[in-house]
Amino acid sequence: MSSPTAVPTASAAPRPDLPLDPEAAISVRGLVRRYGSSTAVDGLDLDIHRGEIFALLGPNGAGKTTTVEICEGFRRRDAGEVRVLGQDPATGGRRWKAQLGIVLQSGAGDSQLTCRELVRSQASYYSDPRDPDEVLELVGLTEKAGVRGRALSGGQRRRLDVALGIVGRPTLLFLDEPTTGFDPEARRQFWSLIRSLRDLGTTMLLTTHYLDEAEALADRVGVIARGRLVEVAVPSALGGRGSAPAVVSWTEDGVRRTHDTHAPTALVAELAARFGGEVPDLAVARPTLEDVYLRMIGQPTPEERTA
Amino acid sequence: MTAVQQQPSLPPLGAVYRTRAGVELKEFFRQRESVVFSLALPVILLVVFGAVLDYDIGLGIPFTQYFLPGILAAGILGVSLQNMAISIATERSDGTLKHLAGTPMPRSAYFVGKVVQVLATTVAILVILLLVGRVFYGVGLPSGTDWLTFAWVALLGAAACTLLGIAVSSLARTGRSASAMITPIALVLQFISGVFFQFSQIPTWMQTVASVFPLKWMAQGFRSVYLPDALAADEPAGSWELGRVAIVLGLWCVAGLVLCVLTFRWQDRGTD
Ligand SMILES: Nc1ncnc2c1ncn2[C@@H]1O[C@H](COP(=O)(O)OP(=O)(O)OP(=O)(O)O)[C@@H](O)[C@H]1O
Ligand SMILES: [Mg+2]
């Protein structure tokens, strides 16, 4: 690896000063996109390494879809440099697209074709596709293989979108809110699908509003707010979460007690000694991803709101 | 150092074209609205109007023999111009086109699929109308070299109207609005182009308007196949003007193609 940004670090802040990373699956510098007078993406820098799952988090309208669709070649940019698999997406041709899998936020459209026919026709656009029936199995649509696209439920349609996105055996898979409308079981099944794709070496850029999804799947998380990337980190370290004090709470004399500490183990040992065994209602908590996320995007956390 | 990019190979064009042809045929024939609208409606019109307007247009020839060539032209207009305008506008607004643009599918394959769809439905509507005309109204099939005229008028007309339909699809935001826009236009054209009424009975200024569009010329070309040459005297020029039919339809092909190239979009306006 020739570039320092190619080494995943716990908290790799955006590096606008560095040149595009040719080793990265996606490399973005100073990306700007305006719609009329409003700026949707406002100087965004990003490197996504080959083989990693990168989750982009951010509130509605933060600029996630705009960024992702610029990388996919669907949208123009007003400024900045973008390389996706070494190619400027604005000029990417068929061979470049053959390496991508794209699941759009808006879905793949309506059809009178059955799920199996749709996945098969999609497979025929690639030279080395996955087996369509296996793909339907992977997304849990085997029973619906003979049902027409427009007769599917919302969550089933979304699974079909995912099937269409992966059947071409992509090197780089874009997933823009892929699990919207999934029931909990489908979401777990999707997670294991994503993990098995990662094991096969697929790079993935995922946007989601589900923090548990980002935490469960992503190697790194980027938080985007008002068109800027405010932080990039591994999920457990986001917002200084890893080094934040733990909150130890217990009940003593009928009163709930809490204590912030960097040495929770010592405190718990001390409490255990004092109570001579079980500490009533003992809990040790770190700030959740949701806590740090809401703080990062400038919203009050639930506790702050009730306080 | 740049990593060595293994550029993937691409499947042969012919295979993708076959896939798209299959997709488009299934999309058309499985959708009840498009089948009823494009295939059943002209047949119903032929049967109903033929029964009502069964008068002598001269030389002992019944109106149905004049009406059949007109409805053949209108049938082609339906499966090509109207069908393309509505189906492509629908596919653009529901994201089908954007999805395809994100795959390595060669873009030509989309249009090949549409052309196969139009060819298949054109053959279907022509065969049905010829049979219905024969069975219900005893209008004979073309004979000898008339088949040749029949074939080139049908092909050139379908080509012009398909290209025009693809171009027009970009004007509408949704399939519904494309339908609301194109259906009344097609209806008016049918009234002033010599489909439901004899062209010689249409006011001159309306004839002039109709002469700009392909439908009038397709109907005229088909009339030359079905009516005796003596009735060519009723045409505005006093003859069938087959050379002019070919030129006007050919010009519409060129204009339609230019418009397609200039205006075709793979996603909704303002989303790029
Ligand atoms: N085609 C467009 N025309 C005008 N404005 C747009 C367009 N697309 C997006 N925007 C605006 O750009 C901003 C960013 O939109 P974008 O779709 O990228 O957000 P997002 O982060 O994907 O949001 P969500 O979580 O709701 O999907 C929003 O304020 C949106 O209104
Ligand atoms: Mg979005």
Side-chain angles (χ1 to χ4, degrees), chain B residues 170-192:
Chain B
S170 300
L171 297 175
R173 276 224 168 263
T174 64
R176 225 174 260 259
S177 64
S179 177
M181 177 180 72
I182 203 72
T183 310
I185 294 176
L187 197 63
V188 170
L189 281 181
Q190 286 167 14
F191 278 113
I192 67 173

Side-chain angles (χ1 to χ4, degrees), chain A residues 248-268:
Chain A
V248 178
S249 50
W250 69 97
T251 305
E252 194 166 358
D253 306 328
V255 184
R256 191 82 186 139
R257 315 277 293 261
T258 65
H259 191 78
D260 289 4
T261 173
H262 284 283
T265 313
L267 177 58
V268 170

